[in-house]
Amino acid sequence: MTHTPNGTAPPGTATPVPTLSAVPPQPTPTTRTPPPPEARRTAFAEGVDRLRRAATTEPGRLRIIGALLAALVVAFGAVTAWQMTDRAAAADDVLTSSQPLSSDAADIYRSLADANTAASSGFLAGGQETAASRDRYENDIRTAAAKLVNAAANSDPGSPSAKTITKLNRLLPEYKGLVERARTYNRQGFPVGGAYLRYANEKMQKEMLPAAEDLYTKENQRLRDDYADATPYPWPAMALGVVALAALAWAMRRNYLHTNRVLNHGLVAATAAAAVVLLWLTAGHTLARSGLDDSYDHGVRSLNVLHDARIASLKARGNENLTLVARGAETTKVGDETFDAYDHDFGRDMDTLGKGLAQARRLADDADGEKPVDSAVGNMTEWKKRHAAAREQDENGNYQQALDMVIGAKGATGECFDSVDKNLATALTHEEKEFERAAGDGRDALTGLPAGAAVLAVLGAAGAVLGIGRRLSEYR
């Protein structure tokens, strides 16, 4: 083979064509990945940014201040109106609903107990039952029935009170039937009449009076709940009032530092409105609370004690009569000694009456309240003396003399019982007037406060906005 210098191909030799594999690789263009889209911002975050940007300028800051002041004053008025509406409604319920219903429940108990007493008195009189005794029994039954209707109308359907009222409405006709049977057999001279009367008394003592007492307890609890709703201080409203006044004072001071102007009419009006609402709220609720507390301490407490004392006297009278009806057929054992059951209960009821009268005397705060209680104490003392004398006659076998000393026309224990009941009724009437006066004053102290607070709050908010708007107009 012939080699040419410089490595060139000899003449006549074809130049070799480079193959594809001999072509050097070209760089591949790179594809750029787009950046991920920004997460969408919430409306709250965007709002915060706008507020932040607005706060960098004085007009923006003024708009924020005006909005906050208006919101604070409106919130103060709204919370005040809300809380005072609830308290005013509760105070009105105390005066017009729960306390009258509590008294009605006590009257139901008293009417039933008195009817039972009148029935036993008529039985003891035998065929000579007086028209007065019969009328008293009938009036008590009618009163109890009417009070039950009123209580049913004012009770919530399905509530425990409604169930108790239904039970009493069912038992009342049953009791009346037993009394009528006892009266019929007694007039015919059949001893079984006494058994029917004792059965009627048992139904009254073990079923009806406990149910009436349960109704009285429930209505008293309802009354206490209304007091609890009406008397607490409205701390949220008061706190908002203080915060609103502090914010308005700060805004006025800021305005003075920036403009050297002492007063801004709009802010002054807003401050005055908020101050009036706060003072009205504080003074009105304080007066209302004072009146309601007074109505409870010198009204409700006295009424409860007097009702209990009156009920004890009725129970004592009924047991005194039944002592003569039973003639020793019912006994009870205390320790090693045996006593007549009804006479033993009479002594217990008289002890309860004495304690109740002593407490009522302590709670009475004026002469008109003290006088009937003192008279009732004197009647009770005489009653005990006459009862002891009648028991002595009965134990000595002088039944008719004992009967005359209990249900006779003159000098009998019945006179003492009637005097006790009459004086307690007088004391109850006086205390009810005291309650109505104090509770009425408490309720009236809240009159107009909810609506007035709402109106003044709106005017105050408008004043704050106008006051800030006056400053904003200086930048236009």
Side-chain angles (χ1 to χ4, degrees), residues 415-452:
E415 291 181 347
C416 299
F417 161 70
D418 289 338
S419 295
V420 168
D421 193 68
K422 180 179 179 181
N423 282 307
L424 287 176
T426 301
L428 281 166
T429 300
H430 171 73
E431 296 301 333
E432 283 176 354
K433 290 179 180 178
E434 291 290 300
F435 163 80
E436 291 173 358
R437 177 192 57 77
D441 290 344
R443 182 194 61 179
D444 294 344
L446 299 177
T447 301
L449 178 52

Side-chain angles (χ1 to χ4, degrees), residues 1-81:
M1 176 179 284
T2 303
H3 293 278
T4 59
N6 301 326
T8 59
T13 304
T15 304
V17 180
T19 62
L20 184 61
S21 61
V23 179
Q26 300 295 322
T28 304
T30 59
T31 303
R32 294 185 178 181
T33 304
E38 293 185 8
R40 183 177 179 83
R41 304 190 67 199
T42 64
F44 176 76
E46 292 177 356
V48 170
D49 284 345
R50 283 196 295 269
L51 284 176
R52 188 181 294 112
R53 287 192 298 271
T56 60
T57 64
E58 181 61 13
R61 285 191 287 269
L62 288 174
R63 290 188 181 93
I64 294 172
I65 291 171
L68 290 176
L69 290 177
L72 269 176
V73 175
V74 168
F76 171 42
V79 173
T80 298

Side-chain angles (χ1 to χ4, degrees), residues 309-320:
R310 199 177 189 189
I311 288 168
S313 72
L314 287 163
K315 284 183 174 181
R317 179 59 177 172
N319 284 317
E320 184 177 45

Side-chain angles (χ1 to χ4, degrees), residues 303-364:
L303 287 171
N304 289 341
V305 169
L306 290 168
H307 280 308
D308 292 341
R310 199 177 189 189
I311 288 168
S313 72
L314 287 163
K315 284 183 174 181
R317 179 59 177 172
N319 284 317
E320 184 177 45
N321 289 341
L322 287 167
T323 302
L324 296 175
V325 172
R327 296 193 179 189
E330 302 287 340
T331 60
T332 186
K333 201 166 185 178
V334 180
D336 296 332
E337 296 185 62
T338 300
F339 299 93
D340 183 285
Y342 296 116
D343 190 52
H344 178 268
D345 289 343
F346 170 84
R348 183 187 58 193
D349 294 333
M350 292 299 281
D351 289 341
T352 302
L353 174 60
K355 292 176 182 177
L357 291 175
Q359 188 175 359
R361 181 64 174 78
R362 290 193 298 270
L363 291 173

